[in-house]
Amino acid sequence: MDSILAESTPTSAIELRHVTKRYGDTVALDDVSMTIEPGEFFCLLGPSGCGKTTTLNLIGGFIPMSSGELRIEGRMVNDLPPHKRNVNTVFQNYALFPHMTVAQNIAFGLRMEKLPAAEITSRTGEYLELVGLAGFDKRLPSEMSGGQQQRVALARALAKRPAVLLLDEPLGALDLKLRKHMQTELSRIHRQVGTTFVFVTHDQEEALSMATRIAIMSGGNVMQTGTPREVYDHPAGRFVANFVGETNFIAGTVTMEDGRRVFAIPGRGRVAAPTGSTDGPATVMVRPEYVRLRPVDEPAADPGISGRIVNVAFLGDHTRLTVSTDAGDIVSVRPHATNVRSTHLEEDLGQEVCVWWPADDAALIAD
Amino acid sequence: MTSETAGGADQAPLAGSAPGVRARLGRAVPFVPGFLMLAFLFLIPMAIMFVFSLWRTNSDFNVVADWNLNNYARFFNQPVYLRTFAKTLVMGTAVTAAGLALALPFNYFLVRYVSRGLQRAVLLAVIVPFWTSYLLRVYAWQAILGETGALNQFLMGIGLIKEPTTLLVYNDTGVFIVLIYVYFPFAALALYAALEKFDFTQLNAAQDLGARPDQAFRYILVPQIRTGIITACIFVFIPILGEFLTPTLVGGAEGNLIANLVVNFFRQSQIPEGSALAIVIAAFVTIVLIIFRRSLRVEDVVTRG
């Protein structure tokens, strides 16, 4: 009882309670509950068809939900049409009005609110300034680049001073360089206006770099909610581990050998088991940046997993090595730390190496 | 263009020189067939009609080259002409409005909720009637609305009426119904072209920004399909000013439109009188087109910008 009361404190920006959305027989959202606090940069992350856009459309009011309860700033809005909700959306294709200038686009929402003309003018200017488009007010959307249109869409939605700003994959249409730049910009704007942002993306890097919290969705369910570090370092399951960042999954058995608990793969490979693991078949996940390599003849406490380097990809700031072992291919990533003038090659294609990792850089994962 | 620049800047002052003239003639060649067609099929007949309109029919029903403006004066002096003309304008406006009122929702649902393949099929169904002659289609309506027509038999069959009704035929209502049927495809096709390009997420965006659905429609959709709406108006309204077959077949005694009066004059060999009335209609159409065209231009500037 207490916990329910605590959850329903009106301070939450968005609250979904047991929300289900069905399209005919297909369940797009399956009993989803989540709470988004004011000022958060909350990211809905998942592959296409996971229900993230459905969630956003439900909050925006564009589709009705099948069951459950949706609250915005504590107020039940299940039956409220979009134009009466205190949320605004940046659409995936921006949905700018092509027959209006930039200033008219931004002013449209304010005109609908019937604000005084002077207030509309000053606010339009203010938000153009915020998104870095001061002086562009007389342009038409068709005269602007994709990145600029994106900013107009952002200003148009923010000018309404909504409780929550919804962003539906707004960076999807931009090229890589612009996308990186806009990520930084979005973070700045979020800090500056302090509004709650709810951001939908399928790009895990985008989510990790901008979000204060991430909800990872799959098949209409929320698999895990947490800060970027939490979901990266402590993924709740194989799906999350796989979707957020690159991961090696290695199947084997945890056994006691010589008084120590080790993780054994088929064959002779052994590495120290993560603390707290219990005996029996298990799968560990280890991020490529934690996977280390050493020469096969170097003495060590654990035998490690021997294998052969089958691929070396130099990627500038890091090198990605693929090692073929009895436990399958294991990917190792190492930062580019060598001196530029050094001619010393650390690893080579075809070289026999020993793969290992410190026990607690790996985690046992439920299947 | 090329030949002009190739002529060199030093030759520019001699614009009337032989190479310049030849280049200009060369550029005019592609327009010759079109110009000849327009001249023989449009300009010359119009000129002949205009000349006739200034002549007179004598008591033996022969055209006499007696220059006068009486044929035009009659239009303004005799109430029947002005009244019929006014009625034609009302009819044209009503049919245009009804055509738009039907075509707009029709296209909205077609474009927004129907798959592309099916859209094509539906549009084809809209166009199919054009494969039969206009006359046949109006006769068909006579068979539907007439005294012994399908509609009356159906209504009597289900016992709704006892006597055949002529409420819907041989009067202005009949003309109105049939004209809507005849011109709906024009309105539908003109609006389809405009709506097809419209991005409907804009309506979501408008509502998201606080617009009621009717405001989103008015401020976002309508301005962007204005070209289509105006085109539809032109396609429907202008031809109705020349409609005489539908009023003849389903309009009965009271259903005459202005073009019927023109036809009557020509049937009675009153060629000058008929020509004058036709010229008045043509002049009016020209004025309407100029007005429409101006609003089209403004629209072009705004959308292309």
Side-chain angles (χ1 to χ4, degrees), chain B residues 38 84 96 171 182 233 246 249 291 301:
Chain B
L38 265 182
T84 310
T96 307
N171 53 27
V182 169
C233 288
T246 298
L249 293 179
I291 293 168
V301 169

Side-chain angles (χ1 to χ4, degrees), chain A residues 62 82-83 87-89 91 93 95-100 105 108-109 111-112 114 140 142-143 156-157 160, chain B residues 199 201-213 215-216 219-221 223-224 301-305:
Chain A
F62 300 117
H83 65 274
V87 297
N88 286 108
T89 310
F91 290 85
N93 65 352
L96 296 178
F97 307 132
H99 60 303
M100 296 183 184
N105 262 279
F108 182 78
R111 263 171 55 209
M112 293 299 112
K114 297 212 164 61
L140 285 167
S142 57
E143 297 167 334
R156 184 176 71 174
K160 294 277 289 178
Chain B
D199 165 21
T201 47
Q202 286 180 46
L203 294 184
N204 278 350
Q207 290 185 61
D208 184 78
L209 291 165
R212 292 188 312 266
Q215 289 174 317
Y219 295 123
I220 305 303
L221 179 68
Q224 290 184 61
V301 169
V302 171
T303 47
R304 288 201 203 126

Side-chain angles (χ1 to χ4, degrees), chain B residues 57-69:
Chain B
T57 316
N58 66 13
S59 48
D60 299 330
F61 289 99
N62 288 321
V63 175
V64 186
D66 175 12
W67 302 87
N68 68 87
L69 287 171

Side-chain angles (χ1 to χ4, degrees), chain A residues 12 29 82 109 131 144 146 153 208 213 221 273 322:
Chain A
S12 294
L29 272 189
V131 298
M144 306 184 92
L208 292 174
R213 272 203 310 150
N221 291 293
T322 311

Side-chain angles (χ1 to χ4, degrees), chain A residues 148-343:
Chain A
Q148 289 170 330
Q149 292 183 21
Q150 154 88 83
R151 288 162 188 266
V152 176
L154 199 58
R156 184 176 71 174
L158 280 172
K160 294 277 289 178
R161 298 193 175 144
V164 179
L165 182 76
L166 307 175
L167 302 108
D168 184 11
E169 304 228 16
L171 307 182
L174 305 178
D175 64 64
L176 186 68
K177 216 164 190 162
L178 199 52
R179 198 152 70 218
K180 299 263 182 216
H181 180 64
M182 275 312 289
Q183 286 174 17
T184 321
E185 277 288 279
L186 274 178
S187 297
R188 169 186 69 81
I189 290 166
H190 175 249
R191 279 193 303 274
Q192 213 164 321
V193 297
T195 307
T196 314
F197 279 29
V198 180
F199 190 101
V200 159
T201 183
H202 63 269
D203 184 326
Q204 44 109 0
E205 194 193 309
E206 214 164 86
L208 292 174
S209 70
M210 294 190 293
T212 54
R213 272 203 310 150
I214 301 175
I216 292 125
M217 300 186 67
S218 170
N221 291 293
V222 175
M223 310 305 283
Q224 186 178 5
T225 308
T227 66
R229 271 170 207 281
E230 278 165 14
V231 297
Y232 189 84
D233 287 340
H234 307 288
R238 184 184 271 263
F239 178 82
V240 175
N242 211 5
F243 197 78
V244 182
E246 194 178 7
T247 306
N248 295 295
F249 293 104
I250 301 152
T253 323
V254 177
T255 51
M256 288 294 281
E257 278 181 16
D258 307 329
R260 295 172 65 240
R261 199 160 255 131
V262 296
F263 179 75
I265 62 152
R268 290 182 300 116
R270 299 283 183 276
V271 287
T275 27
S277 39
T278 50
D279 289 1
T283 300
V284 298
M285 74 149 255
V286 52
R287 297 284 186 191
E289 62 268 29
Y290 298 143
V291 173
R292 307 198 190 175
L293 306 181
R294 67 177 185 230
V296 275
D297 47 4
E298 195 179 288
D302 294 305
I305 301 167
S306 54
R308 200 163 53 84
I309 297 176
V310 291
N311 192 38
V312 179
F314 175 65
L315 295 161
D317 59 343
H318 69 277
T319 305
R320 192 171 179 279
L321 302 127
T322 311
V323 184
S324 172
T325 71
D326 289 341
D329 284 357
I330 298 176
V331 175
S332 170
V333 160
R334 67 180 44 202
H336 186 53
T338 53
N339 189 298
V340 175
R341 272 162 298 197
S342 162
T343 51

